[in-house]
Amino acid sequence: MRIKFFFFILVLFLVGLAVTLVCLAGEMNTIHLYIVEGIVVFILFYLMVFYQRIVKPMNTIGNGMELLREQDFSSRLSPVGQYEADRIVNIFNRMMEQLKNERLRLREQNHFLDLLIQASPMGVVILTLDGQVSQVNPMGLKMLGVRLDETVGKNLEDVDSPLAAELAGITKEETKVVRLNDANVYKCTYSSFIDRGFSHPFYLIERMTEEVMRAEKRAYEKVIRMIAHEVNNTTAGITSTLDTVEQALSAEKEMEDICDMMRVCTDRCFSMSRFITRFADVVKIPEPTLTSVNLNELVSTCKRFMEGMCNDRNIVLRLECDPEVGKVRLDASLFEQVLVNIIKNAAESIDRDGEIVVRTMAPASIEVTDNGAGIDKETEEKLFTPFFSTKPNGQGIGLVFIREVLTRHGCTFSLRTYSDGLTRFRIMLN
C-alpha cells in the first residue's frame, strides 16, 4: 500500500483519539482539560510535521519516478525542505540532467552518423536481424544499380544486382575483393554493430576501380610500349634487308619464287607492325573534348552507319529513342566509336539471323540489347580485362577501349546476360 494510505489511517486514528478526549473532557477538572487540549494541539502539530517530513517528500519522489518512467528528462523536482529528501531530490535532478545531456549527445551523434552515411563515398548496406535490407545509402544504391524500393525489405539474394549476389556470398567478418562484369572492382566487408543489445549486420562497399585500372594501365602501357619498340625496330630492319635482297635478286634469273616469298615476308612484317600499333593506340586515347550533343541524333547516326553490316548478317537493327532525352555533354567522336564497337560486338555475338535494339532513356542513358549467344558467368568475370577476348582472332582491346572512354566520361555501365536470355549493355551518363 502507498504511504498516503498509511498517513490517512494515522490521521483517522489520531482524530478519533482527539474526539474521544474531547468527549471525556466534561468529566475532567480544569487541569485535565488543559492537558487534553494540549494533546489535541500536539496531535495536529504532529500531523503537519509528519506530512511535511514524510508524506510530501515521498509524494515528490513518486512524481519524479513518473517523470523517469515517461522519459521526461527536461523536468526537475523542487526541494521540499527536508534534508534527507532534498538529498534524494538533488541526486535525482543531477541524474535527470545527465540523462538529458546523454540523450541529446546520442541524438546529435546519430544525426551526424546518418549524415555521414548518406554522404559517404562508400556504399553502406544495413540488414535487419532477419537478414533483410533495412537501409542503403545513396552510394550503395548507385553501386548496386537499383532503386531504394527494390532493396528495402528483401534478402540480398532476391535483389536483382550482381553486386548484391556477391555480397550474399560473403561470410561474417570477411573482406573480399569483387570484380564485376562492368569492370568495377569493389572491396566488400561484412561486419556487425551493436544496437540496443542486438547485433545488426551490415556491409561496407569501397570502390577500387580507379586504383585497379590505373595499376593495370601502368602495367600494360609499359608492356605495350616495350613490345611495340622491339617489334617496330626489328621489323624495320627485317623489311629493309628483305627489300635490299629482293632488289638484288630480282635481276637474277629464276628468282621469282624467292622474290615472291620475300614480298610475303615483308607484308607479314608490316601486318605485325600494324597489329602492335593498334595496341599502342589504346594507351594513347585522347582526353575527351566535351561539347553539347543531342544524344538521340548521335545514336541515330551510329545506327545508320552499322545498318549495312547488320543487313549482311540478316540482323534487324532497331532504334527506340525517348523524346525526353535532350542534350548531354560528351565527346561525339569518341562516343560514336564506343557505340559502333558495342553494336559490332552484339552483331558478332548473334552471328546471323537475330535482332539488336538500341534504346535511349531519360535520364540520359543508352541500352543496347541483343539476342545472341549470351555471356556465361566465367566470361562475365573477365570482361573489360586487357587482352581478354572470346573471339578466335580477337585482340582483347575493344572492350578496353570502351571502358577507357566511358570511364573518362564519368559514365557507369554494365554488360551481362539477364534471366530472359537477352544480353544488355547499359550506359548511364552523368
Side-chain angles (χ1 to χ4, degrees):
M1 289 184 291
R2 302 183 66 174
I3 193 167
K4 276 187 176 182
F5 181 76
F6 289 107
F7 175 74
F8 288 135
I9 292 177
L10 179 61
V11 168
L12 292 176
F13 173 74
L14 294 177
V15 169
L17 179 60
V19 171
T20 302
L21 292 173
V22 170
C23 293
L24 296 175
E27 303 175 2
M28 299 178 183
N29 55 30
T30 304
I31 296 175
H32 290 160
L33 181 61
Y34 287 139
I35 294 174
V36 170
E37 291 177 350
I39 292 174
V40 172
V41 172
F42 175 78
I43 292 173
L44 293 176
F45 178 77
Y46 175 80
L47 290 176
M48 288 190 293
V49 171
F50 186 84
Y51 182 82
Q52 291 290 333
R53 297 289 182 178
I54 298 179
V55 178
K56 187 177 179 180
M58 294 302 295
N59 189 46
T60 300
I61 294 172
N63 292 333
M65 295 301 104
E66 289 297 322
L67 294 175
L68 189 62
R69 184 175 65 85
E70 295 174 1
Q71 298 186 8
D72 181 6
F73 302 144
S74 60
S75 300
R76 298 293 181 270
L77 299 181
S78 300
V80 294
Q82 205 273 337
Y83 177 73
E84 289 79 6
D86 285 348
R87 287 181 61 191
I88 297 176
V89 167
N90 291 332
I91 293 172
F92 179 84
N93 287 339
R94 287 200 301 270
M95 180 185 69
M96 295 290 276
E97 185 68 23
Q98 291 176 355
L99 288 174
K100 177 186 175 182
N101 293 335
E102 185 67 17
R103 169 182 275 189
L104 182 61
R105 187 185 69 82
L106 288 176
R107 284 180 176 176
E108 291 174 346
Q109 187 179 67
N110 289 336
H111 181 63
F112 171 73
L113 289 175
D114 286 339
L115 292 177
L116 190 64
I117 290 173
Q118 294 299 312
S120 173
M122 299 178 63
V124 180
V125 180
I126 301 176
L127 307 182
T128 64
L129 299 178
D130 297 327
Q132 296 177 338
V133 178
S134 64
Q135 184 179 352
V136 187
N137 71 339
M139 183 55 68
L141 292 173
K142 184 176 180 180
M143 291 175 173
L144 292 171
V146 294
R147 298 190 303 271
L148 184 62
D149 57 359
E150 296 175 342
T151 59
V152 174
K154 294 184 179 180
N155 294 323
L156 283 173
E157 298 87 347
D158 301 327
V159 178
D160 185 18
S161 167
L163 181 56
E166 294 290 344
L167 292 177
I170 300 177
T171 57
K172 195 72 171 289
E173 303 301 333
E174 179 188 5
T175 299
K176 180 180 179 182
V177 176
V178 176
R179 183 164 193 157
L180 299 182
N181 55 354
D182 57 358
N184 285 318
V185 181
Y186 301 99
K187 180 181 178 182
C188 305
T189 302
Y190 183 23
S191 188
S192 61
F193 65 95
I194 303 298
D195 181 29
R196 300 175 187 177
F198 295 97
S199 178
H200 290 259
F202 71 96
Y203 293 91
L204 286 179
I205 312 169
E206 180 181 1
R207 187 171 182 176
M208 302 175 61
T209 307
E210 288 77 12
E211 291 82 356
V212 173
M213 287 178 63
R214 280 197 294 266
E216 284 182 350
K217 190 174 181 181
R218 285 195 297 268
Y220 69 68
E221 276 182 353
K222 185 176 180 180
V223 172
I224 288 174
R225 288 196 181 103
M226 182 180 65
I227 294 175
H229 176 76
E230 294 298 327
V231 170
N232 288 333
N233 286 346
T234 302
T235 55
I238 292 174
T239 53
S240 178
T241 302
L242 289 174
D243 285 339
T244 302
V245 174
E246 182 189 353
Q247 291 175 6
L249 293 178
S250 60
E252 301 293 332
K253 295 181 179 180
E254 299 180 356
M255 290 294 176
E256 290 81 2
D257 291 342
I258 296 177
C259 290
D260 289 340
M261 184 174 61
M262 288 183 177
R263 281 191 290 272
V264 170
C265 291
T266 302
D267 292 340
R268 180 57 184 156
C269 287
F270 283 125
S271 177
M272 183 179 296
S273 180
R274 288 192 298 271
F275 177 83
I276 197 63
T277 299
R278 285 196 292 270
F279 279 110
D281 289 340
V282 175
V283 300
K284 297 178 183 178
I285 299 174
E287 287 297 323
T289 303
L290 303 181
T291 57
S292 184
V293 178
N294 188 299
L295 189 60
N296 287 337
E297 291 180 1
L298 178 69
V299 174
S300 299
T301 301
C302 294
K303 186 253 185 183
R304 288 193 298 269
F305 179 76
M306 295 301 295
E307 276 182 338
M309 174 188 176
C310 292
N311 291 336
D312 292 341
R313 295 171 177 262
N314 196 29
I315 296 174
V316 178
L317 179 59
R318 291 195 297 110
L319 177 62
E320 298 178 1
C321 290
D322 186 344
E324 297 296 325
V325 178
K327 292 187 176 183
V328 293
R329 291 185 59 80
L330 50 79
D331 189 312
S333 177
L334 287 176
F335 223 83
E336 282 180 358
Q337 294 183 57
V338 166
L339 291 177
V340 166
N341 270 311
I342 294 173
I343 297 173
K344 178 175 174 289
N345 288 342
E348 291 174 349
S349 173
I350 295 173
D351 190 20
R352 298 193 64 83
D353 302 324
E355 183 182 47
I356 299 174
V357 181
V358 183
R359 295 186 182 90
T360 62
M361 296 168 287
S365 61
I366 303 171
E367 181 182 271
V368 180
T369 305
D370 70 78
N371 59 352
I375 304 170
D376 56 42
K377 183 66 175 177
E378 183 179 355
T379 303
E380 278 186 7
E381 297 174 355
K382 300 176 182 178
L383 291 175
F384 302 99
T385 302
F387 315 127
F388 172 77
S389 176
T390 58
K391 304 171 188 175
N393 300 317
Q395 300 173 18
I397 61 175
L399 287 179
V400 175
F401 171 80
I402 292 172
R403 183 189 75 176
E404 289 286 335
V405 173
L406 294 180
T407 301
R408 294 188 187 191
H409 278 81
C411 301
T412 55
F413 55 94
S414 65
L415 170 60
R416 65 186 178 109
T417 300
Y418 289 77
S419 56
D420 57 6
L422 299 178
T423 301
R424 295 180 175 88
F425 199 123
R426 290 175 172 172
I427 304 172
M428 284 68 72
L429 291 90
N430 293 332

